[in-house]
């Protein structure tokens, strides 16, 4: 994942630009919601990339554990458990998102490039040192994506607070939310 660029054209560049929230209190409610929707979509995309990286990291860790476990079973037999969406305490907490990731194929290719760069397409063929170096590289990428995601979440929090303030202060009408077509 590349860092946001000032004056960049990508959504991440816009959402994390220093001026993204400029004029927020003067913007219409629809404009604030549109900004929040952009931020939410970017968070969904970053969360998706992060999950892909974490899945690769889980595979490497499973191989490392398998190697030091007496009578360890082949990794292929552990895949279902390794890749399941069961409870994970080491992956942070997520938010409820109302959008699906966009550009899924682009994100998948990006993570595949990282996996290719660190040489772990076949974890069983890697030495212990190669596995650790691969895990370290994946963790570094995941950390950068997590940082970007936290920054986007901060933007979303600001936008959500502004929308909430408008309803609380009577600048926006709650009944309009219940009226079809409004």
């Amino acid at each position: 994942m590349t860092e946001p660029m000032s004056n960049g054209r990508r959504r991440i560049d816009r959402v994390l630009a220093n001026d993204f929230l400029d004029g927020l209190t003067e913007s219409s409610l629809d404009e604030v919601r549109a900004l929040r929707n952009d931020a939410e979509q970017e968070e969904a995309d970053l969360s998706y990339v992060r999950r892909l990286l974490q899945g690769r990291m889980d595979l490497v860790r499973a191989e490392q554990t398998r190697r030091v476990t007496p009578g360890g079973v082949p990794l292929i037999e552990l895949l279902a458990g390794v890749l399941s969406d069961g409870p994970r305490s080491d992956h942070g907490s997520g938010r409820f998102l109302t959008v699906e990731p966009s550009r899924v194929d682009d994100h998948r290719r990006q993570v595949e490039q990282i996996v290719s760069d660190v040489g772990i397409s076949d974890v069983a063929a890697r030495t212990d040192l190669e596995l650790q170096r691969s895990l370290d590289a994946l963790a570094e990428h995941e950390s950068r994506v997590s940082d970007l995601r936290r920054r986007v979440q901060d933007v979303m929090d600001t936008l959500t607070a502004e929308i909430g303030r408008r309803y609380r202060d009577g600048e926006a009408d709650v009944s309009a939310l219940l009226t079809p077509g409004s």
Side-chain angles (χ1 to χ4, degrees):
M1 169 87 1
T2 58
E3 288 297 311
M5 299 180 292
S6 60
N7 300 322
R9 295 182 180 189
R10 301 171 306 168
R11 185 178 46 238
I12 186 84
D13 300 328
R14 292 188 313 272
V15 169
L16 294 180
N18 291 332
D19 63 350
F20 187 71
L21 298 173
D22 286 358
L24 186 59
T25 56
E26 294 83 29
S27 299
S28 72
L29 185 58
D30 286 341
E31 291 169 330
V32 176
R33 284 185 177 138
L35 293 174
R36 187 181 62 181
N37 290 344
D38 278 350
E40 184 179 30
Q41 186 62 63
E42 192 56 39
E43 183 191 4
D45 288 353
L46 290 168
S47 293
Y48 180 75
V49 171
R50 187 169 167 257
R51 285 191 309 271
L52 289 174
L53 288 166
Q54 290 169 342
R56 292 344 184 257
M57 292 166 57
D58 289 345
L59 287 171
V60 172
R61 286 187 190 110
E63 175 62 16
Q64 288 174 319
T65 301
R66 187 198 67 76
R67 288 180 182 192
V68 298
T69 303
V73 298
L75 185 59
I76 192 76
E77 293 179 30
L78 303 172
L79 279 180
V82 170
L83 298 177
S84 72
D85 285 335
R88 295 181 176 162
S89 60
D90 63 332
H91 289 256
S93 61
R95 294 177 177 216
F96 176 77
L97 297 174
T98 60
V99 296
E100 293 294 319
S102 65
R103 305 181 328 270
V104 170
D105 289 337
D106 292 340
H107 296 312
R108 190 170 288 129
R109 279 191 296 276
Q110 176 187 8
V111 170
E112 287 170 359
Q113 179 64 44
I114 293 167
V115 167
S116 174
D117 288 348
V118 298
I120 59 161
S121 57
D122 180 7
V123 292
R126 301 289 139 231
T127 67
D128 291 346
L129 181 59
E130 288 172 328
L131 280 181
Q132 188 57 52
R133 286 181 180 158
S134 297
L135 183 59
D136 293 345
L138 289 168
E140 182 181 323
H141 285 286
E142 191 273 341
S143 178
R144 282 197 299 261
V145 170
S146 291
D147 178 62
L148 291 172
R149 182 171 167 257
R150 278 188 295 277
R151 291 168 55 195
V152 168
Q153 287 174 338
D154 289 344
V155 170
M156 283 182 59
D157 289 345
T158 300
L159 293 163
T160 300
E162 174 60 18
I163 292 170
R165 182 196 65 76
R166 290 180 185 204
Y167 283 110
R168 184 183 62 247
D169 294 351
E171 293 177 35
D173 184 11
V174 175
S175 63
L177 291 173
L178 304 174
T179 306
S182 61

